[in-house]
Amino acid sequence: MVVVTAADAGSPPLTSTHTFSVDISDVNDNAPVFNQTSYTMYVHENNAPALLVGAVKATDADAGPNAKVSYSVVPARGPEEEPCSCVSVNSESGGVFVLRPLDYEQLRQLEVVVSAADAGSPPLSSSVSVRLLVVDENDNAPLVLHPSAQDSSPPSSELVPAGAEAGDLVSKVVAVDADSGQNSWLSYQLLRATEPGLFAVGAQSGEVRLRRPPTERDAAKQKLVVLVRDNGRPPLSATAALSVLLVPGSWDAQLPQQSPAAGEDDGSLTTSLIIALVFVSLLFLLSAAAFVACKVWQEEGAE
């Protein structure tokens, strides 16, 4: 609002006033400004399609159409690159949507660029980075690598000699889990066994060891089933089948081998026998010589 006053040079001067209303037209000289310098959003894998995971917000200091903001996803590395097809943004609200289910094992994170443009002429715009992190779900059961399960052939047997002692290693179950974090932590448990008291399984290592020495009362062929379970919620599991054969004796016991100590004992025994034989022979010779001497003495006395 402007007030203009006009006065003449008379005495007394006369004046008159007039009020002018001045309308200032807005010029689009302000670009939209986001309320954050970057955004981080989270989505659980195996999500539902078109899932809302968050929103971006930008404001424009201009007025009218120059302040109206619209949002869009733009290529992160230039106009020659296609924008991400699995993420979209609502042009009016700024809501960010994941359009298809994501798999953590294939895609753990992605980054998109969201642009906010006003309706001025020419339009002004600004952009912000949106980082989307995929949260792992326990959707993979443990995979047993050893013993390998072959549908066409039975599992190979582990051999345990009859002289084995408690604590001896029989076999080891090896398994992996494609998930991450606590979802991939594995534990092992003996589920079934022909002789449950004969074997023990390490809860963390998967090692199968003897709890006691085998006896003749134990069956020669032992069947074991080991349960492998992850730490997810809910937990997923797999089983490993093992076959253990109790051998009646070790190979060392079946092969006749002479130890150094036994050789030394045999040598000492041989030496003793030789000495005894020489002693007996000398005693026989001395007895024979004495007999002959006595005979000669008697004959000379008779003459």
Side-chain angles (χ1 to χ4, degrees), residues 148-155:
S148 60
Q150 300 292 337
D151 297 335
S152 58
S153 61

PDB file of all heavy atoms in Angstrom, residues 148-155:
ATOM      1  N   SER A 148      26.886 -85.858   3.057  1.00  0.00           N
ATOM      2  CA  SER A 148      26.022 -85.427   1.961  1.00  0.00           C
ATOM      3  C   SER A 148      24.901 -86.435   1.779  1.00  0.00           C
ATOM      4  O   SER A 148      25.129 -87.642   1.785  1.00  0.00           O
ATOM      5  CB  SER A 148      26.825 -85.282   0.665  1.00  0.00           C
ATOM      6  OG  SER A 148      27.419 -86.512   0.317  1.00  0.00           O
ATOM      7  N   ALA A 149      23.694 -85.898   1.606  1.00  0.00           N
ATOM      8  CA  ALA A 149      22.525 -86.768   1.438  1.00  0.00           C
ATOM      9  C   ALA A 149      22.305 -87.039  -0.041  1.00  0.00           C
ATOM     10  O   ALA A 149      21.961 -86.141  -0.805  1.00  0.00           O
ATOM     11  CB  ALA A 149      21.293 -86.121   2.053  1.00  0.00           C
ATOM     12  N   GLN A 150      22.545 -88.262  -0.458  1.00  0.00           N
ATOM     13  CA  GLN A 150      22.304 -88.680  -1.837  1.00  0.00           C
ATOM     14  C   GLN A 150      21.089 -89.592  -1.863  1.00  0.00           C
ATOM     15  O   GLN A 150      21.072 -90.628  -1.203  1.00  0.00           O
ATOM     16  CB  GLN A 150      23.534 -89.414  -2.397  1.00  0.00           C
ATOM     17  CG  GLN A 150      24.810 -88.587  -2.409  1.00  0.00           C
ATOM     18  CD  GLN A 150      24.749 -87.443  -3.401  1.00  0.00           C
ATOM     19  OE1 GLN A 150      23.973 -87.489  -4.350  1.00  0.00           O
ATOM     20  NE2 GLN A 150      25.548 -86.417  -3.174  1.00  0.00           N
ATOM     21  N   ASP A 151      20.083 -89.174  -2.615  1.00  0.00           N
ATOM     22  CA  ASP A 151      18.852 -89.972  -2.660  1.00  0.00           C
ATOM     23  C   ASP A 151      19.086 -91.355  -3.261  1.00  0.00           C
ATOM     24  O   ASP A 151      18.385 -92.311  -2.953  1.00  0.00           O
ATOM     25  CB  ASP A 151      17.786 -89.227  -3.472  1.00  0.00           C
ATOM     26  CG  ASP A 151      17.406 -87.908  -2.804  1.00  0.00           C
ATOM     27  OD1 ASP A 151      17.585 -87.809  -1.571  1.00  0.00           O
ATOM     28  OD2 ASP A 151      16.919 -87.024  -3.514  1.00  0.00           O
ATOM     29  N   SER A 152      20.075 -91.470  -4.146  1.00  0.00           N
ATOM     30  CA  SER A 152      20.256 -92.727  -4.865  1.00  0.00           C
ATOM     31  C   SER A 152      21.162 -93.708  -4.143  1.00  0.00           C
ATOM     32  O   SER A 152      21.246 -94.868  -4.522  1.00  0.00           O
ATOM     33  CB  SER A 152      20.841 -92.446  -6.257  1.00  0.00           C
ATOM     34  OG  SER A 152      22.072 -91.747  -6.139  1.00  0.00           O
ATOM     35  N   SER A 153      21.872 -93.268  -3.117  1.00  0.00           N
ATOM     36  CA  SER A 153      22.811 -94.162  -2.433  1.00  0.00           C
ATOM     37  C   SER A 153      22.745 -93.929  -0.937  1.00  0.00           C
ATOM     38  O   SER A 153      22.515 -92.813  -0.491  1.00  0.00           O
ATOM     39  CB  SER A 153      24.241 -93.922  -2.939  1.00  0.00           C
ATOM     40  OG  SER A 153      24.636 -92.590  -2.676  1.00  0.00           O
ATOM     41  N   PRO A 154      22.949 -94.986  -0.140  1.00  0.00           N
ATOM     42  CA  PRO A 154      22.920 -94.830   1.309  1.00  0.00           C
ATOM     43  C   PRO A 154      24.154 -94.081   1.785  1.00  0.00           C
ATOM     44  O   PRO A 154      25.180 -94.046   1.106  1.00  0.00           O
ATOM     45  CB  PRO A 154      22.920 -96.275   1.827  1.00  0.00           C
ATOM     46  CG  PRO A 154      23.580 -97.055   0.729  1.00  0.00           C
ATOM     47  CD  PRO A 154      23.193 -96.371  -0.547  1.00  0.00           C
ATOM     48  N   PRO A 155      24.092 -93.468   2.978  1.00  0.00           N
ATOM     49  CA  PRO A 155      25.253 -92.753   3.494  1.00  0.00           C
ATOM     50  C   PRO A 155      26.394 -93.706   3.801  1.00  0.00           C
ATOM     51  O   PRO A 155      26.197 -94.863   4.163  1.00  0.00           O
ATOM     52  CB  PRO A 155      24.713 -92.090   4.769  1.00  0.00           C
ATOM     53  CG  PRO A 155      23.528 -92.909   5.165  1.00  0.00           C
ATOM     54  CD  PRO A 155      22.931 -93.391   3.878  1.00  0.00           C
TER      55      PRO A 155
END
